[in-house]
Amino acid sequence: MCGIVGCTGSMPVKKVLVEGLKRLEYRGYDSAGVAIQQDGALEVVHRVGKVAGLESELACRDLRGTCGIGHTRWATHGRPSTVNAHPHASCDGRIAVVHNGIIENFAELREQLQARGHVFASETDTEVLAHLLEEAYAECPGDLLTALRRALQHVIGAYGVAAVCADEPGVIACARKDSPIVVGRGKDASYVASDIIALIDATRDVVVLEDGQLARLTPESITYFDERGREIEPEITHVDWDVDLAEKGGYPDFMLKEIHEQPRVVRDTLAGRMVGGELSIDELGLSYEELNLIDRVYVIACGTSYHAGLIAKNLIERWARIPTEVEVASEFRYRNPIITPSTLVVAVSQSGETADTLAAIRDARIRGAKVFGITNVVGSPVARESDGVIYTKANKEIAVASTKSFLGQVVSLTLLALLLAQTKGRLTTAQVRLLFRELGDTAEQIERILHDTEAIDEAAYACKDAASALFVGRGIGSAICYEGALKLKEISYLHAEAYAAGEMKHGPIALIDDGFPVIAVATESPVYDKLVSNLKECEARGALIVAIATEGDEEIKKIARHVIYVPKVRDCFTPITASVPLQLFARAIALLRGCDVDQPRNLAKSVTVE
Ligand code: AGP
């Protein structure tokens, strides 16, 4: 979603801001802008569309200022337009702000500010901040940090915010509440951003502001404050990932690069988990006794992470025999779930900052549940607000469509299911070890799938012009279908739905006519024959069947026009192998349809608003 960058130093800042904004493009946005201090005033430039457009516009301007802020906006309040793009300025144009998050009481604040004579230029919630700051600054001229702190006292909602003022050359003030802000010192400059990735060219030592904290940046130093304005000593986080991670590494797009990283994700997620022949997840934060008491599990998540939860339900119930519910976080938070002290809530989130998932975690904890987070981002709000956490070891995921982080989630949830089964004594140590070993073998099996993708490309070509597609499976295979369908619709804009195959004749089969694509996860399983019967019914009505099948299955060729083979694995591990061809299938169709696979329209990498 929205992204923030800011820099103050001794060199012109225009290029730094543009490069920082480019690093944030992966989050999804619809407009971009900068505010740069120049000759005692602020120059504000915004554009609808890509950062490249803003860059061209800035290239024509003689901007030499050495302090400025920038923003990529994903529209929430007000359509994508130049006037709604950040930065937003005060009436006198001497203060400018960029903001991530939502100001919930903006309508009320706007009315009050208008009554006091402020004139608004945009429809955004953010603009109230610029005007509040203008008023607060009049009370403490020359102290932007204090003015920001006071202005924010009127605000209800979430914010990561950075501000500059024409009267304070070289100063940036920033603050956070429920929306990330990171700050760091480079060689000759100070930097702020909403995401570490925008800073890694400048520094590896960053401070992730806590909720309520503020920072004042100058070219020489950064000073940190708590919400009462007292100076504090922050904790410095060292970031050890490589700049290369943020690059495509020779692949045509991030999505393909990330799909190819999946064997490594499996290996890294499993590394160090089998200690002395026993499965161990120390970070769980729960004792053996507490684990043993668990009698109900909720998995809460959104989107792709929710689909990982569907797989977890199957495995936890299969192995540990603990009743497990999977629920989208936006529903969970608004109903009255049955939670007791023996309920374990597992919150799954790649970004670790999804607003609905965070709200659901808070709700579950208030109700007395233990919350266990599964996330890809170290130190993210989900990690910090959970009792324990597993990091998925996927490393930074840039493409908006989750691939490697989904796989990391599935592997982590499989480990959790095995641990619960081991603790409850439902699986013997020998069974756990065997399953763990086979789980590890999937890394090599994925490599084999990635090695030969011809059948996937052919199937994609056959389906590329369809208006709609159905993904069907049975058992754990149906859970994979939900993810396959989401992947296809989000990056290719081809409408797709997933169904448990047994449901076809209760309605969806009415859709089938000549050439209608039915993508089936038809790998070897106890319900394989049942699935084949369902597929025959579709084939009889003209469906174009694409089957993901187990190597050696010749029978399936009689009904499927395209067969994509995956190595033979135990049924419980098909989510890992079968999801890889579905990712490649979605990407291939998206490219054939001319779509931008890394940055699909209307989507954001990190959904920090409700
Ligand atoms: C995945 O391809 C999607 N872009 C999206 O559904 C995503 O999984 C969802 O927004 C949840 O995000 P999270 O895992 O960061 O919480």
Side-chain angles (χ1 to χ4, degrees):
M1 288 199 140
C2 306
I4 290 175
V5 291
C7 176
T8 176
S10 51
M11 303 292 285
V13 81
K14 177 167 86 173
K15 192 164 180 292
V16 179
L17 295 181
V18 168
E19 291 309 315
L21 292 177
K22 282 184 180 169
R23 286 252 190 253
L24 295 173
E25 284 191 293
Y26 80 96
R27 295 174 70 91
Y29 67 103
D30 45 60
S31 52
V34 296
I36 296 176
Q37 291 180 341
Q38 171 122 326
D39 304 329
L42 291 181
E43 291 283 338
V44 179
V45 183
H46 354 87
R47 281 283 295 249
V48 175
K50 298 287 181 193
V51 174
L54 176 71
E55 187 177 21
S56 315
E57 170 108 27
L58 291 173
C60 311
R61 303 213 183 185
D62 177 27
L63 285 171
R64 288 155 282 106
T66 59
C67 173
I69 52 179
H71 192 263
T72 46
R73 172 177 188 254
W74 189 83
T76 55
H77 294 69
R79 72 208 148 82
S81 68
T82 305
V83 283
N84 287 336
H86 300 209
H88 290 291
S90 54
C91 296
D92 61 8
R94 303 209 46 90
I95 289 176
V97 296
V98 289
H99 161 237
N100 289 358
I102 286 192
I103 296 171
E104 287 166 18
N105 59 338
F106 89 96
E108 188 188 323
L109 290 171
R110 186 178 169 118
E111 218 170 273
Q112 293 164 3
L113 285 158
Q114 279 172 330
R116 294 200 290 271
H118 289 266
V119 178
F120 280 73
S122 78
E123 305 157 280
T124 65
D125 55 334
T126 299
E127 197 185 340
V128 298
L129 274 180
H131 296 282
L132 282 174
L133 193 47
E134 181 176 25
E135 287 191 351
Y137 196 72
E139 302 283 312
C140 53
D143 190 351
L144 185 64
L145 195 283
T146 300
L148 180 62
R149 189 171 59 77
R150 291 183 184 166
L152 290 172
Q153 285 165 357
H154 300 278
V155 167
I156 299 171
Y159 50 79
V161 59
V164 285
C165 174
D167 298 321
E168 285 188 51
V171 174
I172 300 175
C174 58
R176 87 159 260 176
K177 182 174 163 285
D178 293 335
S179 187
I181 286 286
V182 288
V183 179
R185 277 287 301 155
K187 203 161 145 270
D188 295 310
S190 302
Y191 298 83
V192 56
S194 53
D195 186 324
I196 292 170
I197 201 164
L199 303 187
I200 53 172
D201 287 330
T203 180
R204 296 304 164 87
D205 293 314
V206 299
V207 170
V208 181
L209 291 192
E210 300 277 342
D211 277 348
Q213 292 180 343
L214 302 96
R216 181 175 187 272
L217 285 68
T218 68
E220 298 79 28
S221 64
I222 305 176
T223 326
Y224 299 88
F225 302 88
D226 68 11
E227 56 199 326
R228 292 171 62 186
R230 294 173 302 200
E231 204 172 319
I232 49 168
E233 203 54 53
E235 191 185 321
I236 295 181
T237 305
H238 183 73
V239 182
D240 56 7
W241 23 279
D242 208 273
V243 181
D244 278 358
L245 280 176
E247 307 294 351
K248 290 181 188 155
Y251 288 93
D253 47 76
F254 283 112
M255 184 177 181
L256 188 62
K257 175 178 179 251
E258 289 163 0
I259 289 172
H260 277 258
E261 283 177 59
Q262 293 180 110
R264 182 207 42 84
V265 175
V266 175
R267 293 186 178 109
D268 286 359
T269 306
L270 296 183
R273 292 295 177 193
M274 196 51 88
V275 181
E278 292 272 317
L279 186 63
S280 134
I281 310 180
D282 288 346
E283 318 90 293
L284 201 58
L286 295 179
S287 66
Y288 173 86
E289 289 73 26
E290 285 174 311
L291 271 181
N292 208 12
L293 276 180
I294 291 167
D295 59 7
R296 181 196 291 262
V297 177
Y298 278 107
V299 184
I300 50 172
C302 305
T304 287
S305 302
Y306 168 78
H307 299 147
L310 295 177
I311 293 158
K313 171 183 166 69
N314 184 299
L315 298 181
I316 294 172
E317 293 191 339
R318 179 192 298 222
W319 290 331
R321 308 300 298 157
I322 305 175
T324 301
E325 289 187 46
V326 192
E327 193 157 355
V328 286
S330 51
E331 290 297 320
F332 180 90
R333 63 183 289 196
Y334 288 117
R335 68 180 187 88
N336 192 1
I338 302 166
I339 286 181
T340 69
S342 50
T343 303
L344 175 67
V345 170
V346 182
V348 188
S349 173
Q350 183 283 128
S351 61
E353 57 183 41
T354 299
D356 283 318
T357 309
L358 269 173
I361 290 176
R362 289 168 191 158
D363 183 64
R365 291 192 72 178
I366 289 169
R367 291 167 185 274
K370 289 279 178 202
V371 177
F372 186 62
I374 295 191
T375 180
N376 194 33
V377 179
V378 177
S380 59
V382 164
R384 290 191 300 189
E385 298 199 23
S386 300
D387 295 293
V389 64
I390 293 186
Y391 289 113
T392 48
K393 309 281 172 61
N395 289 339
K396 192 83 190 169
E397 189 173 67
I398 306 280
V400 166
S402 281
T403 53
K404 62 174 180 170
S405 64
F406 169 72
L407 210 89
Q409 291 167 348
V410 172
V411 174
S412 303
L413 287 161
T414 306
L415 284 179
L416 180 65
L418 285 174
L419 184 84
L420 290 170
Q422 176 179 281
T423 311
K424 294 266 181 194
R426 299 280 187 181
L427 289 179
T428 63
T429 308
Q431 285 171 317
V432 172
R433 279 186 209 152
L434 176 66
L435 288 165
F436 182 87
R437 202 180 63 231
E438 290 182 18
L439 179 59
D441 291 344
T442 60
E444 194 258 325
Q445 285 149 351
I446 297 170
E447 277 162 358
R448 281 176 51 204
I449 295 168
L450 294 172
H451 188 68
D452 180 9
T453 58
E454 206 180 316
I456 300 171
D457 293 336
E458 281 171 12
Y461 192 79
C463 299
K464 71 177 180 12
D465 297 321
S468 186
L470 281 173
F471 285 66
V472 298
R474 296 189 75 130
I476 206 163
S478 67
I480 310 164
C481 289
Y482 289 97
E483 177 55 10
L486 174 64
K487 217 80 303 171
L488 183 60
K489 63 186 146 197
E490 73 178 328
I491 60 168
S492 75
Y493 319 140
L494 193 164
H495 173 254
E497 292 304 327
Y499 269 93
E503 277 290 288
M504 287 298 286
K505 49 181 160 304
H506 300 289
I509 202 163
L511 291 169
I512 308 286
D513 60 6
D514 268 353
F516 187 100
V518 173
I519 322 303
V521 174
T523 46
E524 223 174 81
S525 83
V527 282
Y528 174 83
D529 292 339
K530 304 278 175 208
L531 175 72
V532 168
S533 304
N534 300 139
L535 291 180
K536 279 185 178 151
E537 290 157 6
C538 296
E539 193 228 354
R541 288 159 179 83
L544 187 167
I545 295 177
V546 175
I548 313 288
T550 304
E551 276 171 2
D553 178 357
E554 292 298 318
E555 276 306 295
I556 197 77
K557 287 185 178 162
K558 292 183 187 154
I559 44 173
R561 277 192 238 173
H562 295 269
V563 181
I564 299 164
Y565 285 113
V566 292
K568 183 176 166 65
V569 292
R570 205 185 278 266
D571 171 42
C572 52
F573 298 134
T574 46
I576 297 173
T577 49
S579 57
V580 177
L582 291 180
Q583 296 163 350
L584 290 165
F585 177 73
R587 175 182 171 275
I589 291 192
L591 290 175
L592 288 166
R593 290 164 74 101
C595 302
D596 178 342
V597 294
D598 285 341
Q599 290 175 40
R601 68 183 179 205
N602 303 339
L603 293 180
K605 183 67 184 162
S606 170
V607 184
T608 50
V609 295
E610 188 178 343

